[in-house]
Amino acid sequence: MIGIVDYGMGNLHSVSKALERLELPYVLTEDIEVLQKTDGLLLPGVGAFPDAMATLNQMGLSSFLREWAEAGKPLLGICLGMQLLFEESDEHGLTEGLKLLPGRVERFSGQMADGTSYKVPHMGWNKLTFQQPNHPLLRNVEEGHVYFVHSYVVKEGSDDVLIATSEYDGTVPAVVGRANVLGTQFHPEKSSHVGISILRNFGELVAQGGGKSE
């Protein structure tokens, strides 16, 4: 059973529908006691990092998620949910994240090194490049295109957490993870067969009880 963490800041309907299509059993709830009984967690997210962390803290979900990760149970963050897994964000001032993965979240500058401007947010389809092609999340997945919508990107992280990347004025960590703590910057539920395959693989990891590379 997969628990979708409902803290009021995620694409809950589209994520739920994707799991239904995959016939993966799930429960959508904010109730920690219910979430504790699941085998894996999805942490979706849309909105501002400080608001999300404030809500998670107020609901007692921050400490719960840290304890869950420390226990070695599978956790997958999506979009903002992925960014929350990292150490901090500079969105609207400095805000501490869940600190489950090394790295800092910063806004796209909107300007290339040569002074050329580019659009922020990074929105639309972009191609994945696999950094850890044997990772269980990428099993039987091709280096296709996935759908992004984000104005902030993980920087100053560690290369060992990069599972797949895209390019948008530099490297965009697109799939990240270390052991059981995983994340996608794009929306897998909106990313056609590539994204759905990644969600299916997460379901298999949950069934197996882990998230380590082979």
Side-chain angles (χ1 to χ4, degrees):
M1 175 74 73
I2 293 174
I4 303 176
V5 182
D6 181 4
Y7 62 109
M9 296 189 67
N11 280 339
L12 303 179
H13 179 74
S14 57
V15 172
S16 299
K17 288 298 182 183
L19 296 185
E20 288 174 12
R21 289 198 301 273
L22 290 167
E23 298 183 345
L24 293 174
Y26 73 91
V27 59
L28 170 62
T29 183
E30 63 184 48
D31 190 323
I32 291 176
E33 290 186 2
V34 175
L35 292 170
Q36 284 175 331
K37 297 175 182 177
T38 65
D39 305 300
L41 294 181
L42 279 179
L43 180 66
V46 175
F49 192 106
D51 294 342
M53 282 305 305
T55 301
L56 290 176
N57 290 335
Q58 290 166 6
M59 297 174 71
L61 287 166
S62 295
S63 56
F64 165 67
L65 290 168
R66 292 188 182 103
E67 291 169 3
W68 179 277
E70 289 171 4
K73 300 177 182 179
L75 169 63
L76 177 68
I78 295 175
C79 197
L80 174 61
M82 184 203 93
Q83 295 178 2
L84 296 172
L85 303 176
F86 288 84
E87 294 171 289
E88 61 186 20
S89 171
D90 67 1
E91 186 172 2
H92 307 311
L94 197 63
T95 302
E96 289 187 354
L98 294 170
K99 299 184 177 181
L100 300 176
L101 294 174
R104 188 171 191 267
V105 181
E106 301 177 2
R107 194 178 192 278
F108 283 111
S109 68
Q111 190 172 62
M112 297 181 184
D114 63 3
T116 304
S117 297
Y118 62 89
K119 291 182 180 180
V120 178
H122 172 209
M123 182 167 62
W125 295 85
N126 206 342
K127 189 177 186 298
L128 291 181
T129 298
F130 294 169
Q131 306 300 323
Q132 297 182 42
N134 293 324
H135 193 281
L137 269 189
L138 303 182
R139 185 177 290 116
N140 298 321
V141 180
E142 61 186 56
E143 287 187 331
H145 288 70
V146 292
Y147 189 77
F148 292 87
V149 184
H150 62 121
S151 298
Y152 288 76
V153 63
V154 175
K155 299 282 189 180
E156 301 176 10
S158 175
D159 287 346
D160 77 303
V161 305
L162 297 178
I163 297 171
T165 58
S166 289
E167 291 296 318
Y168 195 74
D169 187 35
T171 298
V172 173
V175 183
V176 300
R178 180 178 284 173
N180 56 301
V181 178
L182 306 161
T184 65
Q185 179 61 77
F186 56 90
H187 290 274
E189 75 281 7
K190 297 181 178 180
S191 297
S192 189
H193 61 281
V194 176
I196 292 299
S197 295
I198 288 173
L199 283 178
R200 180 185 294 110
N201 287 339
F202 178 70
E204 292 180 1
L205 286 177
V206 170
Q208 297 164 6
K212 294 183 179 180
S213 299
E214 293 179 337

